[in-house]
Amino acid sequence: MSIRIGILGYGNLGKGVEKAVNMNPDQELAAVFTRRDPKTVRIASEGVEVRHTDDLEKMTDQIDVLVICGGSATDLPEMTPKYAALYNVVDSFDTHANIPAHFCHVNQAALSAGKVGIISCGWDPGMFSLSRLYAHSVLPDGHDYTFWGRGVSQGHSDAIRRIDGVKDARQYTVPVEDALQAVRDGLNPQLTVRQKHTRECWVVAEDGADTARIEKEIKEMPNYFSDYDTTVHFISEEELLRDHRGLPHGGSVIYSGQTGDQKHVIEFSLKLDSNPEFTGSVLAAAARAAWRMNLDGQSGAKTMFDIAPKYLSPCSDEWLRAHYL
Amino acid sequence: MSIRIGILGYGNLGKGVEKAVNMNPDQELAAVFTRRDPKTVRIASEGVEVRHTDDLEKMTDQIDVLVICGGSATDLPEMTPKYAALYNVVDSFDTHANIPAHFCHVNQAALSAGKVGIISCGWDPGMFSLSRLYAHSVLPDGHDYTFWGRGVSQGHSDAIRRIDGVKDARQYTVPVEDALQAVRDGLNPQLTVRQKHTRECWVVAEDGADTARIEKEIKEMPNYFSDYDTTVHFISEEELLRDHRGLPHGGSVIYSGQTGDQKHVIEFSLKLDSNPEFTGSVLAAAARAAWRMNLDGQSGAKTMFDIAPKYLSPCSDEWLRAHYL
């Protein structure tokens, strides 16, 4: 019997989860839930209903795991605990400072309901977090470095779009090659924010807008750009749509450690054509784990750190040992 | 209270485990066990006893986890099940075809004793296995490739040393750069054994030995060399000791997958100055997991696939979520 997946929220991430679920032989998409009028939402999967979130109160016998595809700022802090009281749930909560509180709220709800709630899945937090944990556990003496990119940062692109006179924009986070190489060589450099990444902006200005002022506003924007070497390119809307359509991303976690005088470098890297489709794939695998851990009698909030890797796979333990070990 | 570790076998791997245990703040080395006369074995750690393996029958109250550092051919199939009946155990069993039988024997012994027996730890099998499992679980449509090296293969070096007229030898396994690049580029090439790795041999011949015959015997040796492009260099004993003293190794697991028309490449790579010291470090982390899983009520044979990552770390769950997630 397939694991029946519900998706709450149908933006880029929800679409990524939908695609992943449809590729997983052991999963089926049961329904997509939206806060909008369901009639206005068309989904890619045929024969699958779009329903209003209000219906979630009464569908606990039709959904095994609910994958919650909302924003970390306001959606997930409310939604994940709420629905963990009804379903096994998975989310991609990524506001780092608030993870302890979010974990606590989801844990209370999930424990009371006897459900599993897996939070903060994706690649960072998620796969990158695992790399940091494994590396530190094996080699206690060492440092981890995380580089992101080259890839589109949706948060930074949005920040540019909010500037007066900007019609559209795409921002790429780019790791500094020399810094990457020094870390890969095990040199354990001390790196400032500026030394690790540059920011590359492709901006469509509105007709007659003051591009010099826009460029200055971008480069001086605190938190987002002022601590980085930032380049700004003004292009036409056609060029943006033609050359910057996708949402590629990726990066590397590099751990440089030692046993006495012997050095060891561990690197985990991702090169992703589509950030939301890959993140959606991680969420779909985590949904499988949530379901299987719950079947094994587990409940409460979990992160990737709590998931025995076998639970993420559709294959049997015997098969995994024979083929991947 | 520290986890009290026993090490069985004091070769390169046992020494690597010893070094790792001494670096881990939550572990202490309780004793080293040997099948040799204990008086003939000097260990690096001060104030730690070397004992004969016979003493293992009567030390169950002094050792929390026994790390078994023997060979996969004959030592581990006998030792790991035997001592899993007395202790939580960890080994690095790596004869792939025999893993199912080994798992079964260790499982029976460990279940009966209420102990945990973690088998096949290290980097391959071990960390590389995890990379394969995670990648396949997240992206069901894709292929994994494993490249080893550049690094010293002890099995191949031993095979050369058994040839008549060879005094000493070191064999490096070297990945083919073009093949690596094609895989990293997501081209999903079909690669033969010969196309993935070359073999580089550094040989000290005995005085007056027929080097042409030795070179021919190496290059034509079935399983070990005949399927590879192999180069043979004859050098002096001094050069071997000077330039080929270490036991570096490493490699990459590269997974090339897709979600529809979007490609994603996942790579996990290791660059290790010392193969036995890194492998020993993985075994020490696995020993921690064995102890903690057993405290949590688990028993039986386990592999890295069964270990929730948090069990490998000395840090609390809260700390891990705050710092590595």
Side-chain angles (χ1 to χ4, degrees):
Chain A
M1 204 188 74
S2 295
I3 306 170
R4 299 168 301 174
I5 306 289
I7 296 173
L8 169 47
Y10 198 69
N12 282 333
L13 182 57
K15 290 173 189 169
V17 175
E18 175 187 34
K19 202 164 176 181
V21 167
N22 286 332
M23 289 178 71
N24 282 332
D26 61 333
Q27 300 185 330
E28 62 179 275
L29 183 58
V32 169
F33 298 89
T34 179
R35 288 173 293 187
R36 295 179 266 169
D37 176 355
K39 287 195 206 75
T40 66
V41 178
R42 295 203 50 157
I43 65 171
S45 306
E46 284 178 33
V48 175
E49 280 192 301
V50 180
R51 288 169 167 263
H52 193 270
T53 46
D54 289 348
D55 289 350
L56 276 165
E57 307 291 333
K58 55 189 183 201
M59 289 185 65
T60 52
D61 60 337
Q62 294 169 58
I63 308 277
D64 296 319
V65 187
L66 182 67
V67 182
I68 307 179
C69 301
S72 294
T74 55
D75 298 339
L76 298 177
E78 184 223 314
M79 287 177 169
T80 311
K82 177 177 178 182
Y83 295 112
L86 296 170
Y87 297 92
N88 297 303
V89 296
V90 172
D91 80 17
S92 62
F93 186 79
D94 66 358
T95 308
H96 204 273
N98 299 337
I99 285 176
H102 188 60
F103 185 91
C104 180
H105 298 148
V106 175
N107 195 41
Q108 285 169 359
L111 278 179
S112 302
K115 300 294 183 184
V116 166
I118 304 180
I119 66 161
S120 301
C121 291
W123 57 277
D124 196 8
M127 310 286 286
F128 274 16
S129 319
L130 285 170
S131 299
R132 291 187 277 263
L133 173 52
Y134 279 119
H136 278 281
S137 300
V138 168
L139 295 177
D141 184 9
H143 299 276
D144 68 79
Y145 297 81
T146 302
F147 291 91
W148 295 275
R150 173 188 172 92
V152 173
S153 164
Q154 300 189 62
H156 288 78
S157 301
D158 289 342
I160 300 172
R161 281 189 209 103
R162 285 192 294 265
I163 293 174
D164 196 41
V166 171
K167 194 169 181 187
D168 203 352
R170 210 70 89 249
Q171 193 271 178
Y172 293 87
T173 306
V174 185
V176 174
E177 201 52 49
D178 287 350
L180 254 177
Q181 197 54 52
V183 171
R184 283 190 178 128
D185 290 344
L187 301 179
N188 276 335
Q190 291 233 327
L191 298 168
T192 63
V193 159
R194 190 180 298 275
Q195 287 169 324
K196 284 182 73 186
H197 297 94
T198 57
R199 299 202 174 276
E200 193 183 291
C201 311
W202 301 83
V203 182
V204 181
E206 284 170 358
D207 284 345
D210 178 353
T211 56
R213 193 248 320 145
I214 290 172
E215 179 165 347
K216 187 163 181 291
E217 277 194 44
I218 293 173
K219 289 186 171 176
E220 292 177 356
M221 197 185 297
N223 302 318
Y224 284 88
F225 293 101
S226 63
D227 294 334
Y228 298 85
D229 289 336
T230 301
T231 53
V232 179
H233 309 271
F234 289 93
I235 55 175
S236 69
E237 190 160 23
E238 293 68 43
E239 286 170 309
L240 190 88
L241 290 173
R242 186 190 67 205
D243 301 335
H244 305 281
R245 209 193 182 93
L247 292 170
H249 219 314
S252 299
V253 174
I254 308 177
Y255 186 84
S256 171
Q258 51 265 326
T259 49
D261 57 348
Q262 305 287 297
K263 286 190 175 191
H264 311 288
V265 177
I266 306 174
E267 177 165 354
F268 178 77
S269 67
L270 294 172
K271 206 167 62 184
L272 312 174
D273 271 2
S274 166
N275 183 357
E277 290 193 8
F278 186 79
T279 303
S281 298
V282 178
L283 288 174
R288 175 185 296 123
W291 174 240
R292 294 182 59 202
M293 291 166 78
N294 192 237
L295 282 183
D296 271 0
Q298 299 191 45
S299 62
K302 311 284 175 191
T303 72
M304 292 293 264
F305 297 162
D306 304 300
I307 303 174
K310 65 176 177 180
Y311 283 120
L312 294 163
S313 170
C315 307
S316 72
D317 295 358
E318 294 74 20
W319 196 94
L320 293 176
R321 285 194 293 271
H323 293 86
Y324 297 156
L325 202 61
Chain B
M1 204 188 74
S2 293
I3 306 169
R4 299 167 302 175
I5 306 288
I7 296 172
L8 170 47
Y10 198 68
N12 282 334
L13 182 57
K15 289 172 189 170
V17 175
E18 175 187 33
K19 202 164 176 181
V21 167
N22 287 332
M23 290 178 71
N24 282 331
D26 61 332
Q27 299 186 329
E28 63 179 271
L29 183 59
V32 169
F33 298 88
T34 179
R35 288 173 293 189
R36 296 178 265 169
D37 177 355
K39 287 196 209 72
T40 66
V41 178
R42 295 204 50 156
I43 65 171
S45 306
E46 284 178 34
V48 175
E49 279 192 301
V50 181
R51 289 169 166 266
H52 193 270
T53 45
D54 290 347
D55 289 350
L56 277 166
E57 308 290 333
K58 54 188 184 202
M59 289 185 66
T60 51
D61 60 338
Q62 294 168 57
I63 307 277
D64 296 319
V65 186
L66 183 67
V67 182
I68 307 180
C69 303
S72 295
T74 56
D75 297 339
L76 297 178
E78 184 223 315
M79 287 176 169
T80 311
K82 178 177 176 181
Y83 295 113
L86 296 170
Y87 298 92
N88 296 304
V89 296
V90 172
D91 80 15
S92 62
F93 187 80
D94 66 357
T95 308
H96 203 273
N98 299 337
I99 285 177
H102 188 60
F103 185 91
C104 180
H105 298 147
V106 175
N107 195 41
Q108 285 168 359
L111 278 179
S112 303
K115 299 292 184 185
V116 166
I118 303 180
I119 66 161
S120 302
C121 291
W123 56 276
D124 197 6
M127 309 287 284
F128 274 17
S129 320
L130 284 171
S131 299
R132 290 186 278 263
L133 173 52
Y134 279 118
H136 277 281
S137 299
V138 168
L139 296 177
D141 184 9
H143 299 277
D144 69 80
Y145 296 81
T146 303
F147 291 90
W148 295 274
R150 174 188 170 97
V152 173
S153 165
Q154 299 188 63
H156 289 79
S157 301
D158 289 342
I160 300 173
R161 282 189 208 103
R162 285 192 294 266
I163 293 174
D164 196 40
V166 171
K167 196 168 180 187
D168 204 351
R170 211 69 90 248
Q171 194 271 176
Y172 294 86
T173 306
V174 184
V176 174
E177 201 52 48
D178 287 350
L180 254 178
Q181 197 54 52
V183 170
R184 283 190 178 127
D185 290 342
L187 301 179
N188 278 334
Q190 291 233 327
L191 298 167
T192 62
V193 160
R194 189 180 298 275
Q195 288 170 322
K196 283 182 72 186
H197 296 93
T198 58
R199 299 202 173 276
E200 194 183 291
C201 311
W202 301 84
V203 181
V204 181
E206 283 169 359
D207 284 346
D210 178 353
T211 56
R213 193 245 323 142
I214 291 172
E215 178 164 346
K216 188 164 181 291
E217 278 194 41
I218 293 173
K219 289 186 171 177
E220 293 176 355
M221 198 185 296
N223 303 319
Y224 285 89
F225 293 101
S226 63
D227 294 335
Y228 297 86
D229 288 337
T230 301
T231 54
V232 179
H233 310 271
F234 289 93
I235 55 174
S236 70
E237 192 161 22
E238 294 70 40
E239 287 171 307
L240 191 87
L241 290 174
R242 188 191 64 204
D243 302 333
H244 306 282
R245 212 194 180 91
L247 293 170
H249 219 314
S252 299
V253 174
I254 308 176
Y255 186 84
S256 172
Q258 52 265 327
T259 48
D261 57 349
Q262 304 287 297
K263 286 191 174 190
H264 311 288
V265 178
I266 306 173
E267 176 164 357
F268 178 77
S269 67
L270 294 171
K271 206 168 63 184
L272 311 173
D273 271 3
S274 166
N275 183 356
E277 291 193 8
F278 186 80
T279 304
S281 297
V282 179
L283 289 174
R288 174 184 298 122
W291 173 240
R292 295 182 59 202
M293 290 166 80
N294 193 236
L295 282 183
D296 270 0
Q298 299 192 45
S299 62
K302 310 284 175 191
T303 72
M304 292 293 263
F305 297 162
D306 305 300
I307 304 174
K310 65 174 178 180
Y311 283 121
L312 295 163
S313 170
C315 306
S316 72
D317 295 357
E318 293 75 20
W319 197 94
L320 293 176
R321 285 195 293 269
H323 293 85
Y324 297 155
L325 201 61

